[in-house]
Amino acid sequence: MLPDRPVAPGDDTRVVAVVVTWNRRALLAESLAAVRSQSHAPVTVVVVDNASDDGTPADLEALRADPGPPLDVLRLDANIGGAGGFAAGIQRALTHRPDLLWLLDDDTVPEPPALAALVAAWRGYADQHGERPRAVASRVVWTDGRDHPMNTPRPKPGATPAERDRARTLDCVPIRSASFVSVAFDAEVVRERGVPLADYFLWNDDFEYSTRLIRGGVGLYSPASVVVHKTRTFGSTDADPGDRFFYEVRNKLWMFTRSRSLAPVEKLVYGAATLRRWMRTVAGSSDRGRLARAAVRGVRAGLRGPRPTPAVLAAAGWSPQGAERAPEQRDLPFSLLISTYAGDRPDYLHRAFVSSVQEQTRPPAEVVLVQDGPVPPELEAEIATLAAESPVPVRHVVCPENLGLGPALDRGLAAASHEVVARMDADDISLPERFARQLPVIEAGADIVGSGLWEFTEDPDRPGDVVGRRTPPVDPGEIRRVIGFRDPFNHPTVVYRRSAVLAAGGYTHLALMEDYLLFARMVANGAAPANLADPLVYYRVGDGAYARRGGAALLRSELALQRRFRSLGITTRRQYVRNVVVRGGYRLVPEGVRKVAYRALLANRSSGAGAVPPRG
């Protein structure tokens, strides 16, 4: 991964710019020069080359040596349009840990303070009104200084006086959609709601994506952020599109019938506006027959639905982990990631640490130990002792307040030195051969590998203390098939590529569900999954383990998880209903029934051989 440039002095907002290009080498050079010369410099500029054949690759290689923020160049094998290019670019940009993502076309030339104005609006609105805008769009002008009709954001339909007044405090206007010509998106909402739909190719991809991200939140138009859009002609999207009218019709049908970016009432409003615009387009066309044929093809394609974004990106030779993979490399160094908090016992943490470091036949190169908030003196002393006596370096990451497991692990990932990261809970025990078994699977090309585990109560060496075994699915196809209904990975056993985690958005705060959401997003993103059936971890199940799997709080997390799955396209409408009924119902049954069901359906699964744990 490329080193990131420090942010502008006095402002710690990390911005990663994403520029998608295809055969515009002269304009691209001008655009990149302007992007890299911003008064608020982006930490990195991700450039997606959509298989240009005009000399762009050589130019980009030469531009790497220029001063300014580093270029992270993605070269695709095929042109998959702006939609596919931005989908790949955003996945890559997330690996640089941004606060904001700034998306620009390759014929956009921003004025020097353009990005600073976007950041100021984003931060200022949050400071004044307690809510971060989901998107902030620039003022787009043509080469003669006139507002460009193709990319001028429209004020939000039906904006309340309060919404307009809050935006006005920053000299902004509330909006409902924005163009990819120049828009900054909050990285947290991108991690939550995913990337553009790559199969849109062009037209309405930015409309669908920006409305999807802004829905339920705040979008702003900042006239202080000025960019020049150097199109060949001055005109709007109502100009005669010819055969490209196919994309307009197809993509609008996809958006109005399949996307969750607009509320039902909004679909009626925007649908009526679309019909009026189509009528103007046809009326102004010099070849209405050509438009009609394009429209018919668009309707037919629109009824079929878009291909999954990972499939579109894979066909162009891209996966979010591709740049980090080294299948032929062996003996990869890796980081061990452990999070501990005030409720952990020092003796349990000691056993977890030693079993995962000193006792491993293939130990980690470092340990990232995240302290999630203040801890009692006894636990603090144990952490200090472990760090002092560890045979490998220990990065002690301290969170001033308790954040929860997901955000704490995100802090740990940011501190990790290596691309490969192994997880471990603070009260479990690793078998000595764990990493020697799992790392070769990663080195062979997997992006995440878990294993089976033994469940125990206090001491796995004590007869009768091991109470169950979990055996995960090992076939990658089965993992992909079941992940929409149940988690095919045992979180305390996983080893993964950090780039795959970050490209999927990292962990989020979702009580007892953050791991399942992350793994589902990784697989949906195209990550290569794997599991080893053999148990490689002893997993502690103490008092209250079954109580924690149910109740109102976990039901809320379950319902939030299922909404996220549905919004991300991981589940269909029918699967969503099934999951809410079955998985949600499981959270509400009495604890005794839940325990019996869990034991019968999951915890005692085994594949026969090796069903008895090893004795130590």
Side-chain angles (χ1 to χ4, degrees), residues 259-280:
S259 174
R260 298 168 61 86
S261 59
L262 297 173
V265 172
E266 290 180 313
K267 289 184 178 181
L268 292 175
V269 173
Y270 283 104
T274 294
L275 290 175
R276 290 194 299 270
R277 187 162 55 252
W278 286 358
M279 292 173 63
R280 288 197 302 268

Side-chain angles (χ1 to χ4, degrees), residues 344-379:
D344 287 330
R345 283 178 44 170
D347 56 334
Y348 287 176
L349 175 63
H350 179 90
R351 188 74 188 94
F353 189 102
V354 171
S355 72
S356 302
V357 180
Q358 285 94 326
E359 295 178 0
Q360 286 296 303
T361 59
R362 183 173 176 178
E366 69 170 6
V367 178
V368 179
L369 181 55
V370 182
Q371 178 183 316
D372 188 13
V375 297
E378 296 81 3
L379 184 56

Side-chain angles (χ1 to χ4, degrees), residues 271-539:
T274 294
L275 290 175
R276 290 194 299 270
R277 187 162 55 252
W278 286 358
M279 292 173 63
R280 288 197 302 268
T281 299
V282 172
S285 174
S286 60
D287 190 345
R288 295 177 185 176
R290 187 180 183 187
L291 283 188
R293 291 189 294 273
V296 169
R297 290 189 294 112
V299 170
R300 289 173 178 166
L303 295 176
R304 289 195 296 268
R307 293 172 294 167
T309 290
V312 177
L313 300 184
W318 165 254
S319 76
Q321 302 76 234
E324 303 295 341
R325 275 199 189 121
E328 301 303 319
Q329 188 174 353
R330 293 294 181 264
D331 300 322
L332 283 173
F334 67 98
S335 303
L336 176 68
L337 176 57
I338 305 176
S339 177
T340 187
Y341 80 116
D344 287 330
R345 283 178 44 170
D347 56 334
Y348 287 176
L349 175 63
H350 179 90
R351 188 74 188 94
F353 189 102
V354 171
S355 72
S356 302
V357 180
Q358 285 94 326
E359 295 178 0
Q360 286 296 303
T361 59
R362 183 173 176 178
E366 69 170 6
V367 178
V368 179
L369 181 55
V370 182
Q371 178 183 316
D372 188 13
V375 297
E378 296 81 3
L379 184 56
E380 187 174 16
E382 180 61 38
I383 292 171
T385 299
L386 290 171
E389 298 179 354
S390 172
V392 300
V394 175
R395 292 174 177 260
H396 183 200
V397 178
V398 179
C399 305
E401 299 178 353
N402 181 263
L403 303 176
L405 180 60
L409 293 177
D410 279 333
R411 295 283 183 93
L413 283 170
S417 302
H418 302 291
E419 161 66 359
V420 178
V421 178
R423 273 285 292 120
M424 183 63 185
D425 279 352
D427 57 354
D428 297 335
I429 301 172
S430 291
L431 273 67
E433 71 275 15
R434 176 189 168 188
F435 301 135
R437 295 279 306 279
Q438 290 182 296
L439 265 295
V441 181
I442 293 289
E443 290 164 342
D447 298 307
I448 176 172
V449 56
S451 79
L453 55 76
W454 298 109
E455 290 189 341
F456 75 105
T457 55
E458 283 295 329
D459 182 357
D461 290 333
R462 189 170 60 195
D465 198 72
V466 175
V467 295
R469 172 178 176 176
R470 292 194 216 166
T471 303
V474 296
D475 178 71
E478 185 182 1
I479 292 172
R480 295 186 182 97
R481 181 179 59 81
V482 305
I483 201 165
F485 180 65
R486 66 180 179 91
D487 189 352
F489 296 101
N490 296 315
H491 188 202
T493 74
V494 298
V495 179
Y496 44 50
R497 295 180 185 272
R498 184 173 66 163
S499 60
V501 173
L502 296 179
Y507 289 93
T508 55
H509 184 56
L510 190 62
L512 296 178
M513 298 284 183
E514 56 274 301
D515 56 330
Y516 185 14
L517 176 59
L518 170 63
F519 302 152
R521 295 190 66 174
M522 289 174 67
V523 172
N525 239 17
N531 268 318
L532 298 174
D534 292 340
L536 298 177
V537 170
Y538 286 108
Y539 177 73

Side-chain angles (χ1 to χ4, degrees), residues 83-130:
F86 279 115
I90 289 171
Q91 287 181 348
R92 184 60 179 170
L94 288 175
T95 68
H96 294 285
R97 308 185 306 280
D99 300 311
L100 281 175
L101 289 94
W102 186 24
L103 275 56
L104 306 101
D105 277 347
D106 58 356
D107 55 356
T108 300
V109 180
E111 297 293 332
L115 179 54
L118 295 176
V119 172
W122 180 72
R123 291 178 65 110
Y125 193 96
D127 291 342
Q128 294 186 31
H129 306 297

Side-chain angles (χ1 to χ4, degrees), residues 107 136 142 152 184 207 223 230 292 302 325 387 392 437 495 503 527 545 570 581 605 614:
D107 55 356
V136 186
W142 199 45
T152 300
F207 183 41
K230 294 197 168 185
R325 275 199 189 121
V392 300
R437 295 279 306 279
V495 179
I570 293 172
V581 172
R605 287 184 178 178

